[in-house]
Amino acid sequence: MKPPERLIVALDVDTEEEALSLVDELRDVVGVFKIGMQLFDSAGPDIVRKITRAGGRVFVDLKFHDIPNTVSAAARIITRLGAYMFNVHVAGGREMMRQTAKATLEEAGCLGISPPRVLGVTVLTSISEQQLREDLKIQLGMEELVVEWALMARECGLSGVVASPHEIAAIREACGPGFLIVTPGVRPVWADKDDQQRITTPAQAIQLGADYIVIGRPILRGKNRREAAMRIIEELEASI
């Protein structure tokens, strides 16, 4: 995979107009555009189709977490929209993940298209180990928990996981080379940390074994967003 294809830009904006402007500006230097709740709730599902028609691949980042029937039904809809990838919370359990993976393949088969990659969200990058123990009452260590959940996601037929940079190497060792690792919490050395807790640089994330890195604010806040994206890609190229 070429360095630009590894870069996922988070379209954390309020309007369809802003999103499509970013896609137009960046689509030839970025691999995937991520649509989260902010944009999806504002612009609606059709924004996925519009970005795809404009030449961008779309990661629908809605982190589905509900009963198996509800999430598998949502997976069929996301597949119809033409998403390149989408995610569910591993904490939703094995049956939810199995039914979601199955529904995605079935729907793509009916449509005659390639199925979107289904990713399992492990632990959010804003969660610290202390919060894991004290707030969520989970006594496993962060790395042990994330690896266990990654193995469970693979067992249930998911394509990969979303995990912080700190767990990349352990997931890669446990799950092997064919399992996708999408890594948020990535910050170039010249960018602010913001509210992320478990972070690393783009080059470090790729060297540890990530397939994709997700970056939003360091690009969106830049005076020249294309230049910011190119700086990140140059860092990736130097690391490979």
Side-chain angles (χ1 to χ4, degrees), residues 5-23:
E5 296 172 335
R6 295 176 179 271
L7 177 57
I8 299 176
V9 172
L11 296 177
D12 295 331
V13 295
D14 289 337
T15 68
E16 176 183 305
E17 290 74 21
E18 290 175 281
L20 293 176
S21 175
L22 279 162
V23 172

Side-chain angles (χ1 to χ4, degrees), residues 142-197:
M142 182 73 73
E143 184 175 290
E144 183 181 0
L145 175 66
V146 169
V147 169
E148 292 232 0
W149 279 359
L151 288 167
M152 185 165 68
R154 187 184 65 169
E155 174 194 322
C156 294
L158 270 59
S159 304
V161 289
V162 180
S164 96
H166 291 198
E167 293 83 50
I168 295 170
I171 294 170
R172 183 59 68 213
E173 182 178 358
C175 296
F179 193 67
L180 293 178
I181 302 175
V182 176
T183 305
V186 176
R187 288 290 184 271
V189 292
W190 42 267
D192 293 333
K193 179 179 177 182
D194 295 310
D195 56 355
Q196 304 285 9
Q197 297 294 324

Side-chain angles (χ1 to χ4, degrees), residues 72 75 96-106 118 156-158:
S72 60
M96 184 202 75
M97 290 190 286
R98 286 194 189 103
Q99 288 194 28
T100 298
K102 181 173 181 286
T104 301
L105 289 174
E106 287 177 350
V118 186
C156 294
L158 270 59

Side-chain angles (χ1 to χ4, degrees), residues 33-218:
F33 294 96
K34 184 175 78 71
I35 297 175
M37 287 182 279
Q38 180 181 354
L39 179 59
F40 195 89
D41 291 350
S42 172
D46 203 44
I47 188 63
V48 180
R49 292 193 183 97
K50 289 180 178 179
I51 291 174
T52 301
R53 290 189 200 116
R57 295 188 298 181
V58 178
F59 170 18
V60 178
D61 177 26
L62 298 181
K63 302 180 180 71
F64 296 122
H65 187 172
D66 212 311
I67 63 172
N69 184 66
T70 298
V71 176
S72 60
R76 290 182 183 276
I77 292 169
I78 297 299
T79 302
R80 288 175 211 149
L81 290 174
Y84 177 67
M85 55 175 66
F86 70 95
N87 56 13
V88 303
H89 271 290
V90 176
R94 281 187 168 85
E95 191 58 28
M96 184 202 75
M97 290 190 286
R98 286 194 189 103
Q99 288 194 28
T100 298
K102 181 173 181 286
T104 301
L105 289 174
E106 287 177 350
E107 193 66 27
C110 290
L111 296 169
I113 62 173
S114 297
R117 285 86 172 144
V118 186
L119 306 172
V121 177
T122 54
V123 180
L124 300 175
T125 53
S126 58
I127 299 292
S128 67
E129 191 132 15
Q130 181 180 356
Q131 289 172 309
L132 197 68
R133 290 193 312 270
E134 296 180 1
D135 297 343
L136 303 181
K137 309 303 179 186
I138 296 174
Q139 299 309 310
L140 286 179
M142 182 73 73
E143 184 175 290
E144 183 181 0
L145 175 66
V146 169
V147 169
E148 292 232 0
W149 279 359
L151 288 167
M152 185 165 68
R154 187 184 65 169
E155 174 194 322
C156 294
L158 270 59
S159 304
V161 289
V162 180
S164 96
H166 291 198
E167 293 83 50
I168 295 170
I171 294 170
R172 183 59 68 213
E173 182 178 358
C175 296
F179 193 67
L180 293 178
I181 302 175
V182 176
T183 305
V186 176
R187 288 290 184 271
V189 292
W190 42 267
D192 293 333
K193 179 179 177 182
D194 295 310
D195 56 355
Q196 304 285 9
Q197 297 294 324
R198 298 170 2 258
I199 64 172
T200 193
T201 68
Q204 289 169 335
I206 296 302
Q207 288 167 350
L208 287 166
D211 295 289
Y212 296 92
I213 59 170
V214 180
I215 299 181
R217 284 169 282 191

